[in-house]
């Protein structure tokens, strides 16, 4: 297996994998929107995307991480937002290989940590992450507030 950092040269491949990832999480298929999102991330360098290739050079997965800053530790860390492996490659060590790669990559890069979320129902992913030394958050409680998009914000009359 091999992992390569993505550039716009891999845009179409990553866009298809990203669309499949969104479908996995019960979102409607929308390849044009997926492509536009990934293209913007690559052009603006908003995220770091890595493509996983099997031994035959076939794309089998990807990861997308966003930089953030830990003000208490005074260092950058990365949030692993997306990790996806195609169905035919699952349970064959592909996700573990990709996770080990990004851990080594960001350790060399001087990152303070890697942080991720996964669905409470995704026990396979939870088992993988815990087997790699990730610890379930026990100290902090996370809150979310969904924000209206500008078209949904009511206007005063």
């Amino acid at each position: 297996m091999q992992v390569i950092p993505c550039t716009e040269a891999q845009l179409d491949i990553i866009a298809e994998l990203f669309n499949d990832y969104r479908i996995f999480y019960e979102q409607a298929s929308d390849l044009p929107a997926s492509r536009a999102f990934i293209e913007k991330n690559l052009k603006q360098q908003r995220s770091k995307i890595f493509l996983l290739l099997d031994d035959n050079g076939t794309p089998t997965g990807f990861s997308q991480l966003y930089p953030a800053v830990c003000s208490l530790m005074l260092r950058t860390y990365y949030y692993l937002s997306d990790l996806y492996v195609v169905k035919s490659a699952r349970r064959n060590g592909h996700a573990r290989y990709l996770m080990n790669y990004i851990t080594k990559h960001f350790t060399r890069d001087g990152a303070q940590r890697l942080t991720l979320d996964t669905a409470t129902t995704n026990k396979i992913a939870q088992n993988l992450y815990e087997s790699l030394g990730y610890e379930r958050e026990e100290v902090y409680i996370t809150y979310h507030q969904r924000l209206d998009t500008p078209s949904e914000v009511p206007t005063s009359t």
Side-chain angles (χ1 to χ4, degrees), residues 80-148:
L80 174 60
S81 179
D82 312 308
L83 176 78
Y84 180 74
V85 173
V86 297
K87 191 172 187 174
S88 62
R90 292 182 194 149
R91 296 185 174 255
N92 291 315
H94 291 240
R96 180 176 299 278
Y97 187 92
L98 184 53
M99 290 297 297
N100 284 331
Y101 176 90
I102 62 175
T103 299
K104 289 175 189 169
H105 175 87
F106 288 105
T107 298
R108 284 191 309 267
D109 205 35
Q112 188 260 336
R113 71 174 187 266
L114 296 175
T115 296
L116 61 88
D117 297 319
T118 193
T120 57
T121 56
N122 195 342
K123 301 297 183 190
I124 293 171
Q126 292 170 38
N127 289 336
L128 170 65
Y129 301 140
E130 290 173 13
S131 76
L132 292 170
Y134 283 75
E135 299 173 9
R136 186 182 297 256
E137 180 59 60
E138 301 288 340
V139 177
Y140 297 98
I141 298 171
T142 300
Y143 293 92
H144 300 282
Q145 180 178 11
R146 303 235 185 259
L147 304 176
D148 293 331

Side-chain angles (χ1 to χ4, degrees), residues 32-69:
S34 293
R35 188 181 192 285
F37 182 82
I38 294 298
E39 183 175 29
K40 189 172 184 178
N41 280 358
L42 288 170
K43 282 185 176 181
Q44 295 182 359
Q45 298 181 349
R46 293 191 309 192
S47 67
K48 294 190 182 259
I49 305 172
F50 298 91
L51 178 64
L52 176 65
L53 306 171
D54 69 11
D55 292 334
N56 297 318
T58 303
T60 59
F62 80 98
S63 63
Q64 179 167 222
L65 299 98
Y66 293 89
V69 176

Side-chain angles (χ1 to χ4, degrees), residues 95 153-154:
V153 176

